[in-house]
Amino acid sequence: MAHASEGRGQEFRLPDLGEGLTEAEIVRWLVEVGDVVAVDQPVVEVETAKAMVEVPCPYGGVVTARFGEEGTELPVGAPLVTVAVGTGEDGAAPAAGTEAAASAGGESGVAESRGAASTGGESRIAESAAVRAEAAGSGNVLVGYGTSEAPARRRRVRPDRRAATGAAARTNGRVRVAGPVDGPAEGSAGGPAEGSVDGPVPVISPLVRRLARQNDLDLRELTGSGPDGLILRADVEYALRASAAQGGRAADHEARTGRAPVTAPTAPASATTPGAPRSGTVRTPLKGVRGAVADKLSRSRREIPDATCWVDADATGLMRARTAMNASGGPKISLIALLARICTAALARFPELNATVDTEAREIVRFDDVHLGFAAQTDRGLVVPVVRDAHARDAEALTAEFARLTEAAHEGRLTPGELTGGTFTLNNYGVFGVDGSTPIINHPEAAMLGVGRIVAKPWVHEGELAVRQVVQLSLTFDHRVCDGGTAGGFLRYVADCVEQPAVLLRTL
């Protein structure tokens, strides 16, 4: 086994996971401090705004430190793990990093977004550039790191001793250090920690610290809503909104009356602290999928001048056609696949709706290919997987692709590439038992077709009152890309195909 001095400390940071993602939440750690990891072995499972992914580490060696607990949100570039890299028997990395981390934990008591350090300054794990393995690539591409050999089974080096951060107790969301502290805590809101006085505020994300610093907000006044009192970005944003609202009301009162408002007696600090939980309320941070949905829908409402038109259609013919298809043998055809086929045929006749608006260039960008998104409700929230080249697929191929993407959505296995790049969205909200809706356009697309439930209703058919299968169709469109005539023509063609599926034969 190699000696401790032979190892080198490599700090692995959260890589750019693609598609413009800037942060991710730690869902589950796949390694412990002291584990031996191979190059490209997954070390943590994170949830981005688009999907849950396992992140492979480009270094092989001993894990000496982990940064962030499960549920913590980290920005791209923040440290994830520190690995002691070196050569030894059986390809195992030296255990020096583990001992150094444990020693550092006993001295400082707090390890916050830093690599492991040795005690007394006798030995220090130096930071160095990324080490690329010489073996064949595994294909796990990480922006800024590269790839290497396939992962191997890990084993625990020192099961009886893990890297520690020192004994600490938390009171009211604050960290109280149990042991002596040699110097000031890095990144703390206050001055240096001395003896057993309050240490750094419980903040991991550099973005949270920067947001508070830019707005002159003292993080020590906040009580975190995260695990063990961890202060999250939502806590800081709530405190800023509360402060702004209080200041706005005071200014408005003074402008109307010419007098400063009379303030009520000050309540105890614990009851008025911004961000503190109130009795009878539940605060849920807008992050992950929920946060991404909120941002996209808000942007759609701000930027897109949308309009909606709708029509009722007799879907009896479509339902009978599907029954006939499924009775002829072969894979079963899903209803959403038939609706998707109708959408692509309608977009071929009205291509203005398969477009987006480039606001900077002030241009309408029209697409030749149809990448059809469809709304899917999952336990993690609403997601919109994208069926690539939907215009080139028949009903069987569409059925198979819808089934694959839906299963991946419910299991949280969708990749960022499967959740982006759509040009038009189909929203089958009828599965929730509702007739109609005015859907919000999936920014930056230009239109969305909504389909309500298909239900038996009285309908005049061939001059006679009959019970038919009726559905409500709605189209929400960006009024910048077309006028009402185009949108109405598209929706009418869709309704005609629903009522008389044989209309599709003209374009097959």
Side-chain angles (χ1 to χ4, degrees), residues 13-32:
R13 299 175 179 270
L14 178 64
D16 180 357
L17 298 174
E19 301 294 341
L21 300 174
T22 60
E23 57 195 10
E25 177 183 342
I26 297 175
V27 176
R28 180 169 59 97
W29 282 105
L30 304 179
V31 295
E32 300 285 347

mmCIF file of all heavy atoms in Angstrom, residues 13-32:
data_model
loop_
_atom_site.group_PDB
_atom_site.id
_atom_site.type_symbol
_atom_site.label_atom_id
_atom_site.label_comp_id
_atom_site.label_asym_id
_atom_site.label_seq_id
_atom_site.Cartn_x
_atom_site.Cartn_y
_atom_site.Cartn_z
ATOM 1 N N ARG A 13 -15.696 19.050 -8.929
ATOM 2 C CA ARG A 13 -16.774 20.026 -8.819
ATOM 3 C C ARG A 13 -17.971 19.606 -9.673
ATOM 4 O O ARG A 13 -17.810 18.863 -10.637
ATOM 5 C CB ARG A 13 -16.295 21.414 -9.249
ATOM 6 C CG ARG A 13 -15.151 21.935 -8.375
ATOM 7 C CD ARG A 13 -14.603 23.260 -8.899
ATOM 8 N NE ARG A 13 -13.532 23.742 -8.040
ATOM 9 C CZ ARG A 13 -13.729 24.533 -6.983
ATOM 10 N NH1 ARG A 13 -14.970 24.914 -6.687
ATOM 11 N NH2 ARG A 13 -12.730 24.931 -6.243
ATOM 12 N N LEU A 14 -19.143 20.094 -9.296
ATOM 13 C CA LEU A 14 -20.360 19.781 -10.049
ATOM 14 C C LEU A 14 -20.187 20.257 -11.484
ATOM 15 O O LEU A 14 -20.019 21.452 -11.724
ATOM 16 C CB LEU A 14 -21.572 20.463 -9.415
ATOM 17 C CG LEU A 14 -22.912 20.245 -10.134
ATOM 18 C CD1 LEU A 14 -23.298 18.768 -10.099
ATOM 19 C CD2 LEU A 14 -24.012 21.081 -9.488
ATOM 20 N N PRO A 15 -20.205 19.328 -12.457
ATOM 21 C CA PRO A 15 -19.930 19.716 -13.842
ATOM 22 C C PRO A 15 -21.140 20.350 -14.509
ATOM 23 O O PRO A 15 -22.264 20.293 -14.006
ATOM 24 C CB PRO A 15 -19.574 18.373 -14.503
ATOM 25 C CG PRO A 15 -20.382 17.373 -13.729
ATOM 26 C CD PRO A 15 -20.406 17.877 -12.301
ATOM 27 N N ASP A 16 -20.891 20.951 -15.646
ATOM 28 C CA ASP A 16 -21.970 21.482 -16.484
ATOM 29 C C ASP A 16 -22.706 20.289 -17.082
ATOM 30 O O ASP A 16 -22.154 19.539 -17.882
ATOM 31 C CB ASP A 16 -21.370 22.354 -17.586
ATOM 32 C CG ASP A 16 -22.427 22.942 -18.504
ATOM 33 O OD1 ASP A 16 -23.621 22.634 -18.334
ATOM 34 O OD2 ASP A 16 -22.052 23.713 -19.410
ATOM 35 N N LEU A 17 -23.963 20.098 -16.679
ATOM 36 C CA LEU A 17 -24.732 18.937 -17.130
ATOM 37 C C LEU A 17 -25.447 19.195 -18.448
ATOM 38 O O LEU A 17 -26.235 18.374 -18.907
ATOM 39 C CB LEU A 17 -25.750 18.539 -16.057
ATOM 40 C CG LEU A 17 -25.124 18.123 -14.722
ATOM 41 C CD1 LEU A 17 -26.199 17.895 -13.675
ATOM 42 C CD2 LEU A 17 -24.272 16.889 -14.889
ATOM 43 N N GLY A 18 -25.212 20.347 -19.052
ATOM 44 C CA GLY A 18 -25.749 20.618 -20.382
ATOM 45 C C GLY A 18 -27.082 21.321 -20.352
ATOM 46 O O GLY A 18 -27.739 21.461 -19.327
ATOM 47 N N GLU A 19 -27.504 21.817 -21.525
ATOM 48 C CA GLU A 19 -28.812 22.442 -21.731
ATOM 49 C C GLU A 19 -29.013 23.679 -20.865
ATOM 50 O O GLU A 19 -30.122 24.023 -20.477
ATOM 51 C CB GLU A 19 -29.941 21.437 -21.465
ATOM 52 C CG GLU A 19 -29.883 20.210 -22.336
ATOM 53 C CD GLU A 19 -30.127 20.527 -23.814
ATOM 54 O OE1 GLU A 19 -30.679 21.601 -24.111
ATOM 55 O OE2 GLU A 19 -29.764 19.691 -24.656
ATOM 56 N N GLY A 20 -27.900 24.385 -20.526
ATOM 57 C CA GLY A 20 -28.037 25.628 -19.801
ATOM 58 C C GLY A 20 -28.364 25.485 -18.328
ATOM 59 O O GLY A 20 -28.748 26.453 -17.675
ATOM 60 N N LEU A 21 -28.214 24.296 -17.759
ATOM 61 C CA LEU A 21 -28.520 24.094 -16.345
ATOM 62 C C LEU A 21 -27.445 24.753 -15.487
ATOM 63 O O LEU A 21 -26.258 24.652 -15.781
ATOM 64 C CB LEU A 21 -28.607 22.606 -16.030
ATOM 65 C CG LEU A 21 -29.687 21.842 -16.819
ATOM 66 C CD1 LEU A 21 -29.595 20.365 -16.533
ATOM 67 C CD2 LEU A 21 -31.067 22.374 -16.468
ATOM 68 N N THR A 22 -27.852 25.430 -14.432
ATOM 69 C CA THR A 22 -26.917 26.170 -13.596
ATOM 70 C C THR A 22 -26.803 25.621 -12.186
ATOM 71 O O THR A 22 -25.934 26.050 -11.436
ATOM 72 C CB THR A 22 -27.337 27.647 -13.509
ATOM 73 O OG1 THR A 22 -28.657 27.728 -12.944
ATOM 74 C CG2 THR A 22 -27.342 28.283 -14.897
ATOM 75 N N GLU A 23 -27.676 24.702 -11.800
ATOM 76 C CA GLU A 23 -27.636 24.167 -10.453
ATOM 77 C C GLU A 23 -28.285 22.797 -10.429
ATOM 78 O O GLU A 23 -28.966 22.396 -11.371
ATOM 79 C CB GLU A 23 -28.349 25.113 -9.479
ATOM 80 C CG GLU A 23 -29.785 25.386 -9.859
ATOM 81 C CD GLU A 23 -30.369 26.578 -9.132
ATOM 82 O OE1 GLU A 23 -29.607 27.305 -8.474
ATOM 83 O OE2 GLU A 23 -31.588 26.792 -9.230
ATOM 84 N N ALA A 24 -28.068 22.084 -9.330
ATOM 85 C CA ALA A 24 -28.648 20.755 -9.167
ATOM 86 C C ALA A 24 -28.802 20.478 -7.681
ATOM 87 O O ALA A 24 -28.061 21.022 -6.850
ATOM 88 C CB ALA A 24 -27.780 19.677 -9.819
ATOM 89 N N GLU A 25 -29.750 19.622 -7.353
ATOM 90 C CA GLU A 25 -30.007 19.253 -5.955
ATOM 91 C C GLU A 25 -29.510 17.836 -5.710
ATOM 92 O O GLU A 25 -29.748 16.927 -6.508
ATOM 93 C CB GLU A 25 -31.499 19.336 -5.650
ATOM 94 C CG GLU A 25 -31.853 18.907 -4.236
ATOM 95 C CD GLU A 25 -33.355 18.928 -3.976
ATOM 96 O OE1 GLU A 25 -34.077 19.587 -4.753
ATOM 97 O OE2 GLU A 25 -33.795 18.276 -3.009
ATOM 98 N N ILE A 26 -28.794 17.662 -4.607
ATOM 99 C CA ILE A 26 -28.290 16.334 -4.247
ATOM 100 C C ILE A 26 -29.461 15.469 -3.792
ATOM 101 O O ILE A 26 -30.154 15.811 -2.832
ATOM 102 C CB ILE A 26 -27.232 16.430 -3.142
ATOM 103 C CG1 ILE A 26 -26.013 17.210 -3.641
ATOM 104 C CG2 ILE A 26 -26.815 15.037 -2.678
ATOM 105 C CD1 ILE A 26 -24.970 17.447 -2.571
ATOM 106 N N VAL A 27 -29.686 14.368 -4.503
ATOM 107 C CA VAL A 27 -30.763 13.447 -4.155
ATOM 108 C C VAL A 27 -30.239 12.313 -3.287
ATOM 109 O O VAL A 27 -30.826 11.976 -2.255
ATOM 110 C CB VAL A 27 -31.418 12.879 -5.429
ATOM 111 C CG1 VAL A 27 -32.473 11.832 -5.060
ATOM 112 C CG2 VAL A 27 -32.039 13.989 -6.254
ATOM 113 N N ARG A 28 -29.105 11.739 -3.677
ATOM 114 C CA ARG A 28 -28.597 10.559 -2.955
ATOM 115 C C ARG A 28 -27.101 10.425 -3.210
ATOM 116 O O ARG A 28 -26.643 10.485 -4.348
ATOM 117 C CB ARG A 28 -29.334 9.311 -3.427
ATOM 118 C CG ARG A 28 -28.902 8.013 -2.769
ATOM 119 C CD ARG A 28 -29.895 6.910 -3.118
ATOM 120 N NE ARG A 28 -29.989 6.709 -4.554
ATOM 121 C CZ ARG A 28 -29.321 5.760 -5.223
ATOM 122 N NH1 ARG A 28 -28.540 4.923 -4.566
ATOM 123 N NH2 ARG A 28 -29.480 5.635 -6.531
ATOM 124 N N TRP A 29 -26.339 10.290 -2.128
ATOM 125 C CA TRP A 29 -24.919 10.010 -2.264
ATOM 126 C C TRP A 29 -24.725 8.524 -2.556
ATOM 127 O O TRP A 29 -25.348 7.679 -1.924
ATOM 128 C CB TRP A 29 -24.169 10.380 -0.997
ATOM 129 C CG TRP A 29 -23.918 11.854 -0.863
ATOM 130 C CD1 TRP A 29 -24.549 12.726 -0.044
ATOM 131 C CD2 TRP A 29 -22.950 12.617 -1.590
ATOM 132 N NE1 TRP A 29 -24.055 13.992 -0.204
ATOM 133 C CE2 TRP A 29 -23.070 13.955 -1.149
ATOM 134 C CE3 TRP A 29 -22.008 12.311 -2.564
ATOM 135 C CZ2 TRP A 29 -22.278 14.978 -1.660
ATOM 136 C CZ3 TRP A 29 -21.209 13.334 -3.075
ATOM 137 C CH2 TRP A 29 -21.341 14.648 -2.620
ATOM 138 N N LEU A 30 -23.849 8.226 -3.496
ATOM 139 C CA LEU A 30 -23.565 6.839 -3.885
ATOM 140 C C LEU A 30 -22.262 6.333 -3.279
ATOM 141 O O LEU A 30 -21.925 5.158 -3.442
ATOM 142 C CB LEU A 30 -23.510 6.725 -5.412
ATOM 143 C CG LEU A 30 -24.759 7.215 -6.168
ATOM 144 C CD1 LEU A 30 -24.559 7.072 -7.672
ATOM 145 C CD2 LEU A 30 -25.993 6.452 -5.716
ATOM 146 N N VAL A 31 -21.508 7.212 -2.613
ATOM 147 C CA VAL A 31 -20.252 6.824 -1.973
ATOM 148 C C VAL A 31 -20.207 7.453 -0.590
ATOM 149 O O VAL A 31 -20.893 8.432 -0.308
ATOM 150 C CB VAL A 31 -19.021 7.270 -2.792
ATOM 151 C CG1 VAL A 31 -18.973 6.564 -4.134
ATOM 152 C CG2 VAL A 31 -19.009 8.780 -2.974
ATOM 153 N N GLU A 32 -19.378 6.856 0.269
ATOM 154 C CA GLU A 32 -19.117 7.394 1.599
ATOM 155 C C GLU A 32 -17.674 7.873 1.660
ATOM 156 O O GLU A 32 -16.825 7.476 0.844
ATOM 157 C CB GLU A 32 -19.351 6.315 2.668
ATOM 158 C CG GLU A 32 -20.755 5.752 2.706
ATOM 159 C CD GLU A 32 -21.746 6.710 3.325
ATOM 160 O OE1 GLU A 32 -21.288 7.702 3.935
ATOM 161 O OE2 GLU A 32 -22.955 6.466 3.223
#
